[in-house]
């Protein structure tokens, strides 16, 4: 098993959070139990994590 650096692990975590926030918004929206403000907050967290992951790769 190859050893990963902390930077790579953090990048993977940010990407996983990005995916999780997107999926959560879609599922909760389909269930009809999501308010607009909550959806925007969750998507904002996802976009922030995606940006952090992209910056970490530079």
């Amino acid at each position: 098993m190859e050893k990963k650096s902390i930077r790579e692990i953090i990048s993977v975590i940010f990407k996983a959070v990005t995916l999780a926030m997107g999926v959560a918004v879609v599922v909760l929206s389909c269930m009809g139990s999501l308010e607009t403000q909550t959806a925007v907050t969750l998507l904002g967290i996802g976009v922030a994590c995606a940006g952090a992951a992209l910056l970490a790769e530079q």
Side-chain angles (χ1 to χ4, degrees), residues 18 21-26 34 36-50:
T18 300
M21 290 298 141
V23 170
V25 168
V26 170
L34 185 65
T36 305
Q37 184 176 358
T38 305
V40 170
T41 302
L42 291 174
L43 291 174
I45 292 169
V47 169
C49 287

Side-chain angles (χ1 to χ4, degrees), residues 8-52:
E8 290 173 332
I9 293 171
I10 291 173
S11 179
V12 169
I13 290 170
F14 280 144
K15 290 174 185 175
V17 170
T18 300
L19 179 63
M21 290 298 141
V23 170
V25 168
V26 170
V27 170
L28 291 172
S29 179
C30 288
M31 292 173 52
S33 62
L34 185 65
E35 296 179 12
T36 305
Q37 184 176 358
T38 305
V40 170
T41 302
L42 291 174
L43 291 174
I45 292 169
V47 169
C49 287

